[in-house]
Amino acid sequence: MKRLLNSPNLNKNQKGFTLIEVLVASFILFLVIAAVTMVYRGALLSSHKAERTLQFSSLVEPISEQIRLQLQSSTNTNSELQGQGSMGAITFNWVATQAFQAKAPALLDAESGDITQGNKTFRLWHIALQLELKNATRDYHFSEVSW
């Protein structure tokens, strides 16, 4: 029996992995899976954020056109106008503050050579637009001219 345990052929015929080798391989596999999971999660979050930004940005142009039309059709002489509405799943609020107001410049009539004073008044508005979609909000600021 003693001879069997001390036999040099016993180690040479042995097949398989030791416990330490299995633990090291498992740890390396766990690190690789964790790294891939973090990269996938980051890509998923970035994709979601880009999709939401695209949703907001695609509606800024039509909403600003709607605001422009409301400013031009307004007969109100207040220095601040506001409104709200919705477009698709997005709701929006806007506030327009008058920054400047002046008469139109004089016009030169090419045929007669006379200078005629314009009777229109133009206004420069600074507009703050807030878009909301579910639990996300975005703020945009721009200027418009109305007459």
Side-chain angles (χ1 to χ4, degrees):
M1 179 90 153
K2 216 176 191 187
R3 199 181 223 189
L4 231 170
L5 291 175
N6 291 333
S7 167
N9 291 337
L10 185 61
N11 288 338
K12 289 182 181 177
N13 293 334
Q14 197 177 29
K15 304 240 182 205
F17 298 105
T18 65
L19 181 61
I20 297 295
E21 291 172 331
V22 170
L23 288 175
V24 169
S26 298
F27 182 72
I28 292 171
L29 180 64
F30 171 74
L31 288 178
V32 169
I33 289 173
V36 168
T37 302
M38 293 304 289
V39 168
Y40 179 75
R41 179 167 160 54
L44 189 64
L45 289 174
S46 294
S47 173
H48 182 68
K49 185 177 178 181
E51 181 180 334
R52 182 159 289 169
T53 300
L54 184 62
Q55 275 183 313
F56 282 126
S57 297
S58 67
L59 291 178
V60 169
E61 176 90 22
I63 291 172
S64 67
E65 182 65 30
Q66 184 178 348
I67 293 170
R68 181 182 305 119
L69 292 174
Q70 287 182 11
L71 289 174
Q72 288 179 353
S73 66
S74 173
T75 58
N76 197 344
T77 58
N78 290 345
S79 63
E80 185 172 293
L81 296 173
Q82 58 187 358
Q84 60 187 11
S86 63
M87 195 170 281
I90 294 180
T91 59
F92 61 91
N93 298 311
W94 60 271
V95 175
T97 307
Q98 183 178 320
F100 183 74
Q101 178 177 348
K103 287 274 192 193
L107 299 172
L108 174 65
D109 187 6
E111 292 178 9
S112 67
D114 293 336
I115 295 177
T116 57
Q117 187 64 33
N119 59 354
K120 292 191 176 189
T121 302
F122 70 91
R123 296 191 237 176
L124 176 65
W125 299 91
H126 292 300
I127 300 164
L129 173 64
Q130 184 179 46
L131 303 179
E132 296 178 22
L133 175 65
K134 296 181 184 171
N135 58 352
T137 62
R138 294 282 161 89
D139 293 324
Y140 295 91
H141 299 276
F142 57 95
S143 298
E144 282 294 334
V145 175
S146 68
W147 54 90

